[in-house]
């Protein structure tokens, strides 16, 4: 019966969730389900959700409310929630919306075909949110969505317990995939035309399996002929070793980009965030990176309005951002997550202070990003072309090694290729240029 059933999956949240959707797709397809990009055609709707901030959860609940009416038109339609919000809320999700038929947590995707099949025998609500600290979905080749770029999850979970963060609770303890599995997946990707590979983990630099650490893994992947580029996200400053920096510098395929969450520039706030480094240590790390890899782009995450953050402490965050000059920063307003330590701390700040500080982070970073991008004008950069530009089929779009989106005139024969491009303009966080042919 499952052969005729079509599944529509909507993914929210980080790259980890995108990668999980690719695993879930593979699990469901192996069990006879068909994927559909058209929600109207689907028999089963799955929402792969994020819990990182309250806003992320509200968006999903709003969306499910909107889609609920589909059940009146099609009483056999099933609605499921998977991902971090499923893991965090379990049956409480059903209390929020009676249209939800199943809730499956981040370590139980193997059970999805069985759970969905059961629903067609007996339509009572199903939940499975057991954490399995060993699950890495070995044996499944994810159904990668793009054509030329691919995410490869190398580890799952997180042991860091930053005091504001829900992820260690929604994804369980850290566990790494076997190096041989990772290498064989990447070889297969390379043979299928995927040339730009991003390794994923909440803290990739603590990857460890069978005496293979992250720098050793990078060196192994660097030898795979069929791929052009290797990226990885996310690195934790406290685990960014000299060995990783020198490996990044020496491996030709490892791109000149690192995403390194700063979160705050104030030592006391960093301590209360449980980040394991001071503002100065963070600054020294970025200097070390730039010394070893001169053109490296550094991007970051920053939180405004952590509990108890004074104006002076916030100023130190702005100061450190000015000092480091990130190429880009993802900025967030602190969102208390129930069950985390920061949600219980004294000194929760009013919304308007958090919002005003967030805006100041955004304004500062916009100026820095513009300056950094304008600095690229006149340079020749190697762009890996991923797709047509959003605005025109006469332009193509890709990324430089230092993670800058670059748009230039070109046609379909450039897709999936490395092209030298002379940069002529910069706007927002996009570069424009023209191909140097020959
Ligand atoms: N593991 C990654 C790291 O440590 O860099 C980040 C993972 S988290 C999904 C992405 C970002 O969300 C964090 O770096 C942090 O800036 C932000 N974040 C996490 N919890 C938050 C919260 N409760 N409120 C606001 N921002 C939060
Ligand atoms: Fe969250 Fe910290 Fe783990 Fe990143 S390292 S996922 S911010 S607990
Ligand atoms: Fe990612 Fe959101 Fe979960 S950021 S790990 S999908 S809480």
């Amino acid at each position: 019966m499952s052969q005729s059933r079509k599944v529509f999956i909507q993914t929210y949240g980080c790259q980890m969730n995108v990668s999980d959707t690719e695993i879930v797709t593979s699990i469901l397809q192996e069990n006879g389900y068909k994927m559909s990009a058209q929600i109207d055609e689907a028999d089963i709707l799955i929402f792969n959700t994020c819990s990182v901030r309250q806003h992320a959860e509200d968006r999903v609940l709003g969306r499910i409310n909107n889609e609920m009416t589909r059940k009146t038109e099609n009483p056999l339609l099933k609605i499921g929630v998977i991902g971090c919000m499923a893991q965090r809320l379990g049956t409480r999700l059903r209390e929020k919306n009676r249209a939800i038929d199943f809730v499956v947590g981040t370590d139980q995707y193997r059970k999805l075909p069985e759970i969905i099949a059961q629903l067609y025998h007996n339509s009572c609500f199903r939940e499975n949110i057991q954490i399995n600290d060993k699950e890495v979905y070995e044996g499944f080749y994810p159904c990668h969505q793009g054509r030329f770029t691919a995410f490869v999850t190398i580890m799952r979970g997180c042991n860091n317990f930053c005091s504001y963060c829900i992820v260690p609770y929604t994804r369980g303890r850290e566990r790494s995939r076997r190096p041989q599995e990772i290498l064989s997946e990447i070889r297969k990707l390379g043979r299928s035309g995927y040339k730009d590979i991003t390794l994923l983990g909440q803290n990739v630099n603590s990857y460890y399996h069978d005496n293979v650490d992250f720098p050793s893994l990078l060196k192994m992947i660097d030898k795979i002929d069929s791929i052009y580029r290797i990226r990885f996200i996310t690195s934790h400053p406290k685990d960014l070793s000299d060995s990783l920096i020198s490996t990044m510098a020496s491996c030709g395929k490892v791109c000149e980009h690192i995403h390194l969450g700063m979160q705050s520039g104030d030592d006391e706030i960093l301590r209360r965030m449980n980040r394991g480094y001071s503002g100065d240590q963070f600054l020294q790390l970025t200097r070390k990176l730039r010394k070893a890899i001169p053109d490296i782009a550094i991007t970051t995450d920053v939180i405004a309005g952590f509990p108890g953050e004074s104006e002076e402490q916030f100023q130190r965050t702005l100061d450190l951002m000015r000092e480091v000059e990130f190429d880009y920063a993802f900025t967030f307003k602190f969102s208390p997550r129930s069950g985390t330590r920061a949600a219980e701390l004294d000194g929760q700040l009013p919304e308007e202070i958090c919002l005003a500080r967030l805006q100041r982070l955004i304004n500062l970073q916009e100026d820095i990003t513009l300056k950094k991008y304008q600095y690229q004008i006149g340079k020749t950069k190697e762009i890996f072309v991923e797709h047509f530009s959003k605005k025109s089929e006469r332009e193509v779009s890709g990324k430089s090694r230092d993670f800058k989106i670059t748009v230039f005139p070109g046609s379909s024969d450039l897709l999936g290729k490395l092209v030298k491009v002379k940069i002529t303009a910069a706007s927002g966080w996009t570069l424009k240029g023209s191909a140097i042919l020959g």
Side-chain angles (χ1 to χ4, degrees), residues 350-366:
E351 175 81 1
E352 56 280 15
I353 292 193
C354 296
L355 274 175
R357 287 184 186 167
L358 176 64
Q359 194 55 52
R360 286 158 73 195
L361 292 181
I362 294 170
N363 294 346
L364 171 61
Q365 187 56 46
E366 270 180 10

Side-chain angles (χ1 to χ4, degrees), residues 158 160-162 164-165 167-168 202 236 275:
C158 181
N160 287 318
F161 289 95
C162 303
Y164 49 80
C165 186
V167 172
Q202 290 301 345
H236 194 300
R275 288 293 289 178

Side-chain angles (χ1 to χ4, degrees), residues 6 14 62 68 77 80 96 105 136 145 148 154 185 228 254 271 276 289 335 341 349 353 361 406:
K6 289 188 181 157
C14 65
M68 216 167 79
L77 182 76
K96 288 179 192 287
V136 288
Q145 287 170 4
F148 307 113
I154 61 164
E185 183 176 332
Y228 302 157
V254 175
R271 192 188 63 72
L289 278 161
S335 170
R341 273 187 293 145
L349 296 176
I353 292 193
L361 292 181
T406 305

Side-chain angles (χ1 to χ4, degrees), residues 67 122 154 187 248 323 339:
E67 303 302 351
N122 165 353
I154 61 164
R187 279 192 207 103
M248 287 177 73
E323 184 81 40

Side-chain angles (χ1 to χ4, degrees), residues 175-389:
R175 67 231 76 150
S176 295
R177 288 178 70 195
R178 291 194 303 129
Q180 289 318 322
E181 282 260 320
I182 297 169
L183 293 170
S184 98
E185 183 176 332
I186 297 176
R187 279 192 207 103
K188 194 166 166 185
L189 281 167
R191 288 195 300 272
S192 317
Y194 294 91
K195 302 294 174 192
D196 184 316
I197 306 295
T198 303
L199 310 175
L200 295 184
Q202 290 301 345
N203 183 11
V204 276
N205 38 11
S206 64
Y207 173 90
Y208 191 83
H209 199 291
D210 288 347
N211 290 323
V212 177
D213 62 7
F214 188 55
S216 323
L217 183 70
L218 280 181
K219 284 179 198 148
M220 292 175 187
I221 300 173
D222 196 55
K223 294 202 181 88
I224 298 179
D225 288 334
S226 57
I227 60 162
Y228 302 157
R229 290 175 169 188
I230 308 163
R231 306 177 181 279
F232 51 88
I233 39 179
T234 300
S235 306
H236 194 300
K238 74 174 171 47
D239 300 316
L240 183 61
S241 63
D242 289 350
S243 144
L244 177 54
I245 296 176
S246 64
T247 303
M248 287 177 73
S250 65
C251 288
K253 289 181 182 167
V254 175
C255 289
E256 293 77 19
H257 170 229
I258 192 161
H259 186 76
L260 202 58
M262 173 184 107
Q263 314 300 354
S264 166
D266 180 75
D267 293 350
E268 173 57 17
I269 297 288
L270 285 168
R271 192 188 63 72
R272 285 200 278 130
M273 285 178 163
N274 193 30
R275 288 293 289 178
Y277 53 85
S278 66
D280 190 55
Q281 282 167 335
F282 187 90
L283 178 64
Q284 296 314 326
L285 263 184
T286 60
R287 289 190 173 149
K288 225 193 253 185
L289 278 161
R290 285 184 170 139
K291 191 161 173 226
I293 309 157
D295 290 328
I296 193 168
I298 307 179
T299 54
T300 198
D301 293 344
V302 187
I303 299 178
F306 187 79
E309 182 189 66
S310 66
E311 173 59 26
E312 293 68 39
Q313 288 173 317
F314 177 67
Q315 282 289 348
R316 281 195 265 282
T317 298
L318 295 174
D319 290 345
L320 191 51
M321 286 172 79
R322 280 190 204 99
E323 184 81 40
V324 175
E325 294 201 318
F326 295 105
D327 292 73
Y328 191 80
F330 295 87
T331 50
F332 309 104
K333 167 171 78 72
F334 173 72
S335 170
R337 310 310 293 135
S338 160
T340 64
R341 273 187 293 145
E344 308 305 320
L345 289 175
D346 290 340
Q348 304 284 328
L349 296 176
E351 175 81 1
E352 56 280 15
I353 292 193
C354 296
L355 274 175
R357 287 184 186 167
L358 176 64
Q359 194 55 52
R360 286 158 73 195
L361 292 181
I362 294 170
N363 294 346
L364 171 61
Q365 187 56 46
E366 270 180 10
D367 291 348
I368 298 172
T369 297
L370 188 61
K371 182 175 134 191
K372 288 249 157 188
Y373 277 55
Q374 281 175 342
Y375 177 71
Q376 308 295 327
I377 296 173
K379 290 191 178 190
T380 297
K381 298 180 89 76
E382 182 198 77
I383 307 302
F384 179 64
V385 182
E386 296 173 22
H387 43 72
F388 286 107
S389 94

